[in-house]
Amino acid sequence: MQDFKRTALALLIGGIGGGLFFIADLPLAWMLGSMCFSTVAALRGVNLAVNGTLRKIMTAILGVMLGCGFSTDTLNAMSRWTGGLLLLFVSVALSMWLVYLFYRRIGKFDPITAYFSAAPGGLNVMYEVGEAKGGHGPTIALIHASRILILVMTVPMIFRYGVGFTGGGQTTSLFGSIQDVVGDGWLLLAALIGYIGGYFCRLPAYHLMGPLLATAVFQMTGITDVSPPMILVYAAQLVIGTAIGARFLGTRFRQIRHVIGLSFASTTLMVLIAAVFAFLFAETIGVSAAGIVLALSPGGLAEMSLVALALGIDVAFVSTMHVIRISLIIALVPMAFSVIERIWAKQAK
C-alpha cells in the first residue's frame, strides 16, 4: 500500500507537469514535464517512487513501439548501417577516454570512480560493479542519472528550437482504430514472447529489448504493420519521465551541484563528439544527421529511443544502435576494467 501511494503521488505530480508541457506544445511533453516536476519534488524531499513492475510494463510497451519503427524495408537498410556501427564503436571509446581524463583531472575523481562514471551508459551495472570494485557508488550513480536527465531535457528542445527540426513522431490516433484489433493482438503476442524470451535469454534490459526484438521481427516479416495507440506512447513517457525524476529522492541540490556541473560538462563533450561525427559521416552512412546524433548520444536506451520515437527520427536505426551500445558497455566495460586493474597493480609494484 505504501508503494502504491508513493507511485500514485509521483504520477500525479508527473502528470501535472506533463499536462502543462503538453498544453504549452513542448516537444516530448509528457516525458519532459513529468521529469521536471518529479525531479523538483524529489529534490525538495517529497517521498516519490515509481513501482518497478509498472515501469517494466511501460518499458515493454515502449519496446513494442520501437519495434514498430522497423518495416519490411529495414533489412535492406541494415546492410548500409555497417558504417554506423563503426562510428558507434569509435564514439564510445573516444567519449569514454576523454571523459575519464576529464573526471580525473578536472573532477579530481579517484581512478575507479572516474572509469565507471565515464562509461556512456549502463547506469545500474556501472553503479553496482564500480562500487564493488572500490569506487564511490553515490557519485557514479549521480553522474549517470544526471547525464540521462540532462540529455532528455535538452536534446528535444535543441532539435525543436535550436535547429528548427520539424519531424513528426507517430501519427496513430489517440486510442487506435477498430480495424487494428488483429494487428494489436499480434503486438501483444510479440510483447509477451519478447518479455519472456528476453528474461530467459538474459538480455540486458530484457523488458525493453525482448519486446523490441520480437516486434521488429513481426514487422520486418510483414506479420503486422500497425502501431500502438498514442495513449500508450503518452503513458510510457509519463511513467519513464517520472521515474527519472524520482531517482533524485534523498539528495539536495546544494550537495550535488558540483557533481551535476561535472556531468553537464562531460555530457556536452560526448554530444559534441556525436554531432561532429554526424556532420562528417551522415551522407556516407545514408542516415540523417539528426539520427546519428541521437544514435550516438549517451542517454539511456529507453529514454533516447523514446526521444527518437516521439520526434520521428530514424527510429529503427537509433534504437538498434542504442541496443548495441548498451550491450557492448555492459559486456565489455567491467571486463576491460579487470585488465586495467591488473595493469595498475603491476605499475604499483
Side-chain angles (χ1 to χ4, degrees):
M1 181 60 70
Q2 184 66 23
D3 183 49
F4 173 80
K5 289 180 179 178
R6 294 176 67 199
T7 299
L9 177 60
L11 293 179
L12 174 61
I13 293 172
I16 293 172
L20 291 174
F21 275 48
F22 183 78
I23 292 171
D25 193 31
L26 294 174
L28 208 60
W30 289 99
M31 187 173 183
L32 288 179
S34 60
M35 184 175 62
C36 290
F37 274 55
S38 60
T39 299
V40 172
L43 290 172
R44 292 184 65 84
V46 180
N47 192 15
L48 304 180
V50 173
N51 179 268
T53 301
L54 175 62
R55 191 178 194 280
K56 286 182 179 180
I57 291 172
M58 283 300 165
T59 305
I61 292 173
L62 172 59
V64 171
M65 296 175 200
L66 296 175
C68 290
F70 292 73
S71 69
T72 52
D73 297 326
T74 303
L75 284 175
N76 293 328
M78 284 183 174
S79 63
R80 304 193 302 269
W81 292 351
T82 306
L85 285 173
L86 180 60
L87 278 187
L88 179 67
F89 299 147
V90 174
S91 173
V92 168
L94 179 62
S95 296
M96 189 167 177
W97 176 60
L98 291 176
V99 172
Y100 171 80
L101 293 177
F102 173 80
Y103 285 144
R104 287 286 290 138
R105 297 178 181 178
I106 306 299
K108 306 301 181 183
F109 289 2
D110 65 85
I112 299 174
T113 300
Y115 178 84
F116 286 100
S117 296
L123 186 156
N124 293 327
V125 174
M126 295 307 108
Y127 164 72
E128 292 171 6
V129 177
E131 189 170 55
K133 292 292 186 179
H136 190 254
T139 296
I140 296 172
L142 184 59
I143 285 288
H144 285 286
S146 56
R147 169 175 51 80
I148 295 170
L149 178 73
I150 291 164
L151 278 170
V152 177
M153 285 183 66
T154 58
V155 168
M157 296 293 187
I158 291 172
F159 273 110
R160 166 81 65 92
Y161 302 113
V163 298
F165 184 82
T166 57
Q170 288 197 10
T171 57
T172 55
S173 61
L174 186 62
F175 294 103
S177 169
I178 190 67
Q179 288 83 7
D180 293 336
V181 170
V182 174
D184 290 338
W186 283 113
L187 294 182
L188 177 60
L189 179 61
L192 293 173
I193 292 173
Y195 193 100
I196 297 170
Y199 174 79
F200 283 107
C201 292
R202 299 182 181 275
L203 293 177
Y206 69 90
H207 43 285
L208 173 67
M209 290 178 62
L212 189 161
L213 294 174
T215 304
V217 170
F218 278 31
Q219 295 278 341
M220 288 190 293
T221 54
I223 293 175
T224 181
D225 60 357
V226 304
S227 297
M230 285 302 297
I231 189 68
L232 293 179
V233 178
Y234 295 152
Q237 288 184 22
L238 171 61
V239 171
I240 292 173
T242 303
I244 294 173
R247 287 174 179 159
F248 291 88
L249 181 64
T251 60
R252 295 291 182 271
F253 183 74
R254 64 178 179 274
Q255 299 170 325
I256 62 174
R257 58 188 176 187
H258 174 65
V259 174
I260 290 181
L262 291 172
S263 181
F264 181 83
S266 63
T267 300
T268 301
L269 175 61
M270 288 187 276
V271 173
L272 285 175
I273 291 172
V276 170
F277 281 7
F279 176 78
L280 293 176
F281 300 108
E283 188 171 335
T284 303
I285 295 173
V287 177
S288 69
I292 293 178
V293 170
L294 285 183
L296 301 184
S297 292
L301 169 59
E303 292 81 9
M304 295 311 297
S305 297
L306 188 50
V307 171
L309 180 72
L311 298 178
I313 302 174
D314 295 308
V315 176
F317 175 76
V318 172
S319 56
T320 299
M321 292 299 108
H322 278 288
V323 166
I324 295 171
R325 175 180 64 86
I326 295 298
S327 299
L328 282 173
I329 289 170
I330 291 174
L332 298 181
V333 169
M335 188 187 306
F337 182 76
S338 298
V339 176
I340 294 171
E341 198 173 27
R342 287 196 290 271
I343 295 173
W344 286 345
K346 289 181 180 179
Q347 291 177 341
K349 293 179 181 179

